């Protein structure tokens, strides 16, 4: 009772402590179907649930276990997956009727292939649910055909494949023998870990039915370690060793020896080397992530000890405080071996409770070769199969925590960077259809990119890495996807290539491009650990399109070419800024000016909003800062619009041998000329413009590089010649001075006109002052003629156009620099 209260108190206190957050924000994200991230997709209208994947030894063929079929795909080409063959393996009508008679849905009564393994050099082995009556078969790898016995019957798959297609299982073939972990009954209440297809003196083995060696497990994965001659199984189950109020789920690793042949009298046809231990994925002061979701094995580096074999696992939590979060923990084989070599708990068969064993060991549980041990020793290992110690993660810490994603599948590989250092790259598949590529660094994980694979979350998925093909294969209910592991051409400059911190990619100074380091001969620009641009990009190279704000030579930033925006005064202007990466911080600058918060509003999306006034006209620069490196994202020239005039045809800058200029619209790049080499020239087309429009705009269609950061759509841009040189004279100050003088002159003229009008009104008598009556009303014809002759002008001009005298209000005519005031009325026009 004391232990129960203590454990309950600990859990409550830990729930009050929030988990430690890590930076799991992807640096860049690619939407579904983005041309910047190439994906290859295979779908078949008649084949669904393509989730069981197997790659051939040469890596050229991908075998897919689907619903009622097994597919063979040619994956030799990097950008295609071609169907080579299809084996129909569907239940008969009688099998389907029997399944539905048992109360199962007809869609679940199909044959879902759940086991697909290479048996030897000529054959494969497959098992399927087969309408809730599992079946297994052999497949000829050379002819890709099903093989059955002379009677046409197939092997029973009980204990090798689950009945229910929604139940998880794992299987692996070692030396022609099949090791499986699944459930062996229709209701899914009989979990088994067994060996099949044994020949000669070897016999098939399984767990003892009455021992309760596993408690309501969910089998996840299995792997074979040749140096240990052991198969390791990973699963989660109910932890009976904890006397807790609710059922506590724990994650386990179990082992069996491939040399095990069972006991002679005790444990006949049963495992004598079965042992299990708890995997503890947690950090100090936090609740553990106790539910294992997937595990992948990473072999040791060349020349390293077999004990350095690593197991990378995804864990979730049953506790509400960690709801919606996933953690990645890595375990070392040497630590697993040490736990299995230690002490074991003892199970009391009467009370079914575990206790620490005090008496001397009679045998060492989990040790290979116990099949020839005495009955007394076998009875000891029969009751002592749970290791007392737990397996802790490497470094006693979590390798990664995702705050807002639930990971479902994992793949891992070791990549050697340009400096010779090895980095671990993880591929994590989320339950919402996202693929995260993560590199593990000394200071924590770095999510290089995020790729959306499916429009909607998929219920069943699988992930398979092919190092030889440089791609990961994703199996889903709707088809199979092939995702290249490297996407180096996406990064347009040395700075972006280095900031990506992708161990696959480096800057090639000879080609001025980001490429895979295996193809670069010398002077690779790369810094995976630090992402230091100034260090990795020191080699002489052409200036980056998004060049750093501090150039090696002085640049008149006020005349920096960019997107020209023409506006009217007192108009709200909004300048948009692209996002270089989700880890960069964007900010705006003006030359020799401060962006006062009273005049400027910087939005959360990076855009800048302000009111167009003479003081806010001029150049604007949007910059990003990431990892200490600052670069220009986009430049704007905000000018007051004038009367629309025909625009002269743009003359290519390379016709005059001008230096390089880079025009930026959003994150796109247009190379006009660079070091004497011609680039892609923009095509300019003038749109029709009305007088009442607020902005005058042009549409510029650019020819972008294939590795452009953004989508290659046509962009609406403001008018202005974008081919101007960097040293073009700038008339910003002159424009401001002329505008101020013009405003002062107009104000003075208006004041003089109003003063004259006021004096004329005072000079009249009170009844006649500012009379609203027509001065011609009641007058004789001679008087009317005299009044007409006294009118200053019969017509006037307004905004450069002639108007009749009876067209509107009184006017002030400006001629020869003299102000001529009127009496405030036009002839024959009452006010």
């Amino acid at each position: 009772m004391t232990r129960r209260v203590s454990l309950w108190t600990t859990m409550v206190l830990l729930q009050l402590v929030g988990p430690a957050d890590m930076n799991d924000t992807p640096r860049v994200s690619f939407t579904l179907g983005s041309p910047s991230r190439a994906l290859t997709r295979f779908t078949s209208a008649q084949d669904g649930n393509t989730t069981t994947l197997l790659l051939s030894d040469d890596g050229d063929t991908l075998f897919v276990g689907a619903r009622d079929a097994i597919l063979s795909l040619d994956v030799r080409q990097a950008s295609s997956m071609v169907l080579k063959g299809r084996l129909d393996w569907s239940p008969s009508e009688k099998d389907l009727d029997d399944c539905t008679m048992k109360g199962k849905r007809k869609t679940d009564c199909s044959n879902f292939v759940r086991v697909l393994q290479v048996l030897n050099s000529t054959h494969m082995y497959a098992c399927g649910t087969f309408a809730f009556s599992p079946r297994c078969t052999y497949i000829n790898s050379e002819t890709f055909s099903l093989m059955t016995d002379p009677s046409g019957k197939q092997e029973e798959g009980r204990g090798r494949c689950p009945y229910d297609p929604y139940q998880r299982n794992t299987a692996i073939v070692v030396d022609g023998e099949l090791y499986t972990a699944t459930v062996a009954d229709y209701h899914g209440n009989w979990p088994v870990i067994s060996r099949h297809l044994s020949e000669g003196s070897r016999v098939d083995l399984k767990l003892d039915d009455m021992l309760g060696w596993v408690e309501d497990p969910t089998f996840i994965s299995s792997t074979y370690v040749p140096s240990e001659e052991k198969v390791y199984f990973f699963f989660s189950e109910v932890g009976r060793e904890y006397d807790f109020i609710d059922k506590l789920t724990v994650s386990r690793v179990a082992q069996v020896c491939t040399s095990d042949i069972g006991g002679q009298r005790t444990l006949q046809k049963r495992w004598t080397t079965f042992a299990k231990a708890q995997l503890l994925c947690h950090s100090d002061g936090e609740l553990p992530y106790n539910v294992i979701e997937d595990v992948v094995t990473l072999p040791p580096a060349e020349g390293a000890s077999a004990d350095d074999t690593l197991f990378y696992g995804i864990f979730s939590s049953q506790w509400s405080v960690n709801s919606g979060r996933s953690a990645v923990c890595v375990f070392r084989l040497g630590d697993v071996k040490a736990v299995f070599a230690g002490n074991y708990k003892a199970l009391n068969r009467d009370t079914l409770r575990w206790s620490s064993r005090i008496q001397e060991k009679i045998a060492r549980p989990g040790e290979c070769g116990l099949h020839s041990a005495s009955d007394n020793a076998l009875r000891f290992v029969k009751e002592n199969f749970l290791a007392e110690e737990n397996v802790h993660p490497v470094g006693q810490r979590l390798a990664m925590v995702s705050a807002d994603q639930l990971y479902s599948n994992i793949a891992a590989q070791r990549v050697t960077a340009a400096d010779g250092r090895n980095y671990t790259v993880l591929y994590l598949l989320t339950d919402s259809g996202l693929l995260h590529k993560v590199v593990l660094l000394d200071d924590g994980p770095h999510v290089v990119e995020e790729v959306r694979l499916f429009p909607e979350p998929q219920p069943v998925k699988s992930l398979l890495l092919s190092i030889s093909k440089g791609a990961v294969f994703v199996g889903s209910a709707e088809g199979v996807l092939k995702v290249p592991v490297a996407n180096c051409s996406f990064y347009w400059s040395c700075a972006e290539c280095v900031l990506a911190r992708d161990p696959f990619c480096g800057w090639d100074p000879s080609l001025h491009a980001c490429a895979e380091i295996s193809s670069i001969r010398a002077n690779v620009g790369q810094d995976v650990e630090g992402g230091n641009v100034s260090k990795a990009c020191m080699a002489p190279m052409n200036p980056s399109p998004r060049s750093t704000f501090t150039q090696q030579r002085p640049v008149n930033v006020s005349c920096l070419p960019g997107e020209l925006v023409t506006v009217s005064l007192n108009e709200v202007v909004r300048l948009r800024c692209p996002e270089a990466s989700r880890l960069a911080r964007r900010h705006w600058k003006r030359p020799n000016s401060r962006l006062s918060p009273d005049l400027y509003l910087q939005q959360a999306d990076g855009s800048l909003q302000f009111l167009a006034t003479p003081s806010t006209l001029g150049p604007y620069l949007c910059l990003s800062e990431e990892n200490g490196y600052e670069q220009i994202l986009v430049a704007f020239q905000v000018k007051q619009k004038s009367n629309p005039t025909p625009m002269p045809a743009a003359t290519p800058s390379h016709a005059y041998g001008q230096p390089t200029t880079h025009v930026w619209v959003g994150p796109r790049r247009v190379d006009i000329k660079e070091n004497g080499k011609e680039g892609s020239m923009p095509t300019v087309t003038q749109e029709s413009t009305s007088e009442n429009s607020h902005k005058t705009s042009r549409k510029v269609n650019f020819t972008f590089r294939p590795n452009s950061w953004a989508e290659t759509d046509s962009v609406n841009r403001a008018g202005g010649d974008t081919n101007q040189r960097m040293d073009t004279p700038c008339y910003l100050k002159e424009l401001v001075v002329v505008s101020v003088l013009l405003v002062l002159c107009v104000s003075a003229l208006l004041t003089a006109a109003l003063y004259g009008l006021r004096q004329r009104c005072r000079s009249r008598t009170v009844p006649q002052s500012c009379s609203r009556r027509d001065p011609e009303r009641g007058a004789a014809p001679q008087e009317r003629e005299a009044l007409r002759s006294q009118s200053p002008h019969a017509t006037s001009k307004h905004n450069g156009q002639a108007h009749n005298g009876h067209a509107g209000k009184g006017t002030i005519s400006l001629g020869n620099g003299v102000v001529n005031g009127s009496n405030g009325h036009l002839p024959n026009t009452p006010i």
Side-chain angles (χ1 to χ4, degrees), residues 642-655:
S642 58
N643 292 331
T645 57
M647 298 186 60
T651 303
S653 60
H654 59 82

Side-chain angles (χ1 to χ4, degrees), residues 35-53:
S36 300
R37 195 60 166 101
L39 305 178
T40 304
R41 189 182 305 267
F42 172 82
T43 57
S44 175
Q46 58 179 337
D47 300 313
N49 204 264
T50 51
T51 57
T52 303
L53 306 179

Side-chain angles (χ1 to χ4, degrees), residues 138 172 266 273 276 298 302 436 447 526 537 556 619 625 627 656 663 685 691:
Y138 293 89
I172 187 173
T266 303
T273 56
K276 67 180 181 180
L298 185 63
E302 185 177 356
H436 285 184
V447 185
Q526 187 188 66
C537 297
N556 188 356
E625 191 277 329
N627 202 26
Y656 303 97
V663 182
T685 58
E691 289 187 11

Side-chain angles (χ1 to χ4, degrees), residues 159-160 180-184 190-194 206-207 209 214 217 219:
R160 310 178 189 186
T180 64
T182 184
V183 291
W190 180 16
V192 292
I193 296 177
S194 53
K206 63 179 182 179
L207 295 177
D209 301 338
V214 288
F219 296 110

Side-chain angles (χ1 to χ4, degrees), residues 647-696:
M647 298 186 60
T651 303
S653 60
H654 59 82
Y656 303 97
Q658 294 182 2
T660 302
T661 55
H662 301 290
V663 182
W664 286 97
V665 182
R668 296 176 171 84
R669 169 183 178 178
V670 180
D671 293 340
I672 298 178
K673 190 176 182 185
E674 182 169 335
N675 292 346
K677 299 179 182 180
E678 296 184 3
S680 302
M681 293 301 300
T683 303
V684 182
T685 58
Q686 178 73 37
E687 290 185 345
S688 60
T689 307
S690 62
E691 289 187 11
N692 297 327
S693 63
H694 293 285
K695 294 186 180 180
T696 304

Side-chain angles (χ1 to χ4, degrees), residues 192-258:
V192 292
I193 296 177
S194 53
R195 184 177 68 196
H196 306 272
L197 308 180
S198 302
E199 296 180 352
S201 59
R202 299 172 62 85
V203 296
D204 291 349
L205 299 178
K206 63 179 182 179
L207 295 177
D208 193 298
D209 301 338
M210 304 302 295
L211 288 180
W213 282 355
V214 288
E215 297 285 348
D216 193 17
T218 300
F219 296 110
I220 301 300
S221 178
S222 56
T223 185
Y224 172 63
V225 180
S227 61
E228 297 296 311
E229 294 186 349
K230 292 180 179 180
V231 176
Y232 291 91
F233 296 91
F234 299 90
F235 57 95
S236 61
E237 66 172 351
V238 177
R240 296 294 185 185
E241 68 270 28
Y242 295 103
D243 189 10
F244 196 48
I245 297 177
D246 297 326
K247 290 184 178 180
L248 180 64
T249 302
V250 295
S251 298
R252 303 286 197 198
V253 54
Q255 60 131 61
V256 294
C257 294
T258 56

Side-chain angles (χ1 to χ4, degrees), residues 779-827:
Q782 295 83 358
E783 294 174 336
R784 292 192 185 98
E785 188 66 23
L787 287 173
R788 289 193 183 98
S789 63
Q790 293 177 4
S791 178
H793 294 281
T795 59
S796 64
K797 292 203 173 186
H798 179 61
N799 292 337
Q801 297 182 3
H803 296 270
N804 293 330
H806 59 277
K809 299 179 180 180
T811 61
I812 299 174
S813 177
L814 303 179
N816 299 325
V818 180
V819 181
N820 296 325
S822 69
N823 60 359
H825 306 280
L826 292 179

Side-chain angles (χ1 to χ4, degrees), residues 55-85:
L55 199 63
S56 61
D57 293 336
D58 57 6
D60 293 338
T61 304
L62 180 67
F63 299 102
V64 182
R67 183 180 61 241
D68 297 334
I70 300 175
L71 310 178
S72 174
L73 304 180
D74 186 351
V75 295
R76 288 177 295 179
Q77 300 297 325
S79 59
S80 65
M81 288 191 291
V82 181
L83 180 64
K84 294 171 56 178

